[in-house]
Amino acid sequence: MPRASRVSRLTGLLASVLLLTATAVACGTTDSDDVSGSSAAAKEGSSASADAFPVTIAHKFGSTTIKSEPKRIVTVGLTDQDAVLALGKVPVGTTEWLGGYKGAIGPWAQDKLGSAAAPTVLKDTGTGPQVEKIAALRPDLILAVYGGLTKAQYESLSKFAPVVAQPKEYNDYGVPWQQQTEEIGQALGKADEAKTLVSGVEAKFAAAKKADPAFAKATAVMATPYQGVFVYGSQDPRSRLLSDLGFALPKDLDKVIGDQFGAQISKERYDLLDQDVAVWIAPDTTTSVTKLHSDPVYGDLNVVKQGREVYIKETSDYGNAVSLSTVLSIPYVLDRLVPQLAAAVDGKTSTKVAQPAS
C-alpha cells in the first residue's frame, strides 16, 4: 500500500468484511525470525502495579478480562504502540500503517524503544490481521483500541490471547487519544501512569490555547486532497487536534460525512472548507497547493484569498505524526502546528504560514 494513500488504507480497513479463519490454532508454533527479536523487546518493559490485575475493559464486542501482567503485547490498533511505549513496555509485534519506520515506531517514540529490539511488523492490507503471524509471536495481550475489528476478527484473535477492541461509543478509528492511552494503561496495569501522561499532554494544549486566545474564536477544518477533497470528521484524531486547541469545527461536518472518520465531499459542500483555517494534509506543499488553487470553486473561497491555509506534507515525519495523534506524537506535532495556526489566524493577510524547519 503506497504511503500516500493512507485514507484509502483506512477506508479499505473499515470496509473489510472478510472473515479471519480459525487457523489461530497455530499459536503453539514458533517463528524464529519473529520471536527471537520479540523476546528481547518484551524484557525491556517495566513492571505493573501488583494489585492492578485482574482488570476488565469494556469495548465494542463486550468486555475483556486480563488476569495478569502482560509480557508479550501485539498491537493490532494502528497507533496503539505509542501508548504501550509511553508506558514503559515494548510490543513484540506492531501493525504497519504509515510505513517507513522500523518496527512501526516513529522518531517521536524512538527514545522509548531504547536498546530493545524493534517489534516485528505485521500488515493488514484490508482483509484483517495476519492471524498466523500474530499467533507465532505468542502474545498474551492483543490491543486493537485504535482499530476497526469486525466481530469475527475479534473472536478469531480471542482464541489465543485476550483482545481489547475499539470502544463502542466511538466510530471505528475514532477513539480519542486520551481514552486510548488510559485504556491501554489499564490493560498494562499502569492506570495511574497513563493518567499522568494524558495530563502532561493536555497541559501542552492548555498552554497553547492560553498563548493564543484567537484559537478559541476561530473555526477550522482538516482535509486532504484524496480523490478530490476528503474531510475528516469530529471523531477523527486529526480533527481532534484542532478542537483540543480550542477551534470549532464546521457545524455541519458530521451531518455531511455520517458515522465515518471522514468522507469525500462534493464541490457543492466546499463551504465546509471556508473556515478561519483550512489545514491540508497533502502529498507535497508545492504542486498540491497549485492544484487546489486552480480549482475555481475552492480558489474563490475566502480561506484561500486571505491566506488562511496550513499545509502539512503527508509523508513527512510531521505529517505522519499528525495522522497518528498519540500521546507521544502530539507534543511533536504541537511544536510545529501551533505556530502555523497562529500565523493563519493573526488577522493579517500578509502573514505567511511557513513550513516547519524540520
Side-chain angles (χ1 to χ4, degrees):
M1 185 68 64
R3 293 178 68 206
S5 61
R6 67 191 62 189
V7 173
S8 176
R9 164 76 162 153
L10 275 179
T11 303
L13 289 171
L14 287 169
S16 174
V17 294
L18 298 178
L19 302 183
L20 297 173
T21 65
T23 53
V25 292
C27 64
T29 65
T30 61
D31 182 320
S32 58
D33 289 336
D34 286 345
V35 177
S36 60
S38 303
S39 296
K43 294 177 183 178
E44 294 290 330
S46 58
S47 297
S49 171
D51 59 352
F53 300 98
V55 62
T56 299
I57 300 174
H59 50 73
K60 185 175 182 178
F61 305 114
S63 63
T64 295
T65 298
I66 302 159
K67 296 180 180 179
S68 59
E69 180 182 357
K71 303 293 185 181
R72 301 185 61 81
I73 304 157
V74 170
T75 58
V76 171
L78 300 182
T79 68
D80 291 350
Q81 66 271 22
D82 276 14
V84 175
L85 288 162
L87 290 162
K89 295 280 190 179
V90 177
V92 297
T94 54
T95 299
E96 184 178 88
W97 175 25
L98 304 174
Y101 298 127
K102 186 176 181 180
I105 297 174
W108 49 86
Q110 279 294 325
D111 63 331
K112 300 297 183 181
L113 180 62
S115 61
T120 295
V121 177
L122 305 158
K123 297 182 183 295
D124 181 345
T125 59
T127 59
Q130 294 176 298
V131 177
E132 292 186 15
K133 290 187 176 181
I134 293 173
L137 293 173
R138 297 181 283 108
D140 52 18
L141 176 64
I142 299 171
L143 295 171
V145 182
Y146 182 77
L149 289 181
T150 65
K151 186 174 182 181
Q153 291 167 352
Y154 166 76
E155 290 175 347
S156 291
L157 291 172
S158 297
K159 292 179 184 295
F160 54 91
V163 180
V164 180
Q166 65 268 32
K168 64 180 179 181
E169 62 266 37
Y170 298 102
N171 298 339
D172 289 353
Y173 305 99
V175 60
W177 65 269
Q178 297 96 324
Q179 183 168 332
Q180 175 192 38
T181 304
E182 292 187 5
E183 285 194 4
I184 291 174
Q186 292 173 24
L188 302 186
K190 299 185 171 212
D192 290 342
E193 290 181 39
K195 290 178 181 179
T196 298
L197 287 169
V198 168
S199 295
V201 177
E202 287 182 334
K204 293 182 181 295
F205 278 108
K209 289 191 288 185
K210 183 177 180 180
D212 203 325
F215 291 177
K217 302 175 183 178
T219 59
V221 65
M222 187 82 71
T224 186
Y226 170 72
Q227 295 184 356
V229 169
F230 186 102
V231 294
Y232 296 100
S234 67
Q235 288 195 26
D236 186 84
R238 283 153 286 216
S239 290
R240 284 202 181 97
L241 285 171
L242 299 175
S243 54
D244 284 349
L245 283 167
F247 289 91
L249 301 175
K251 63 179 181 179
D252 290 339
L253 181 61
D254 287 346
K255 181 179 179 181
V256 171
I257 68 171
D259 62 351
Q260 303 297 316
F261 68 92
Q264 265 87 26
I265 59 172
S266 66
K267 292 189 178 184
E268 287 74 21
R269 290 315 315 255
Y270 275 16
D271 59 293
L272 293 173
L273 302 172
D274 203 14
Q275 306 302 317
D276 293 317
V277 186
V279 182
W280 288 95
I281 303 175
D284 60 70
T285 57
T286 53
T287 57
S288 294
V289 179
T290 301
K291 185 176 180 180
L292 280 167
H293 288 187
S294 68
D295 183 309
V297 178
Y298 179 69
D300 195 47
L301 298 179
N302 286 329
V303 70
V304 177
K305 292 188 287 187
Q306 296 174 11
R308 293 187 269 105
E309 300 166 290
V310 169
Y311 284 91
I312 301 168
K313 185 177 179 181
E314 180 184 37
T315 55
S316 65
D317 290 340
Y318 177 25
N320 288 338
V322 169
S323 289
L324 260 74
S325 291
T326 65
V327 69
L328 289 182
S329 74
I330 287 172
Y332 181 97
V333 168
L334 294 182
D335 287 345
R336 294 156 176 78
L337 179 61
V338 168
Q340 289 184 298
L341 293 171
V345 300
D346 72 350
K348 302 175 184 178
T349 57
S350 60
T351 302
K352 182 180 179 180
V353 180
Q355 289 298 308
S358 63

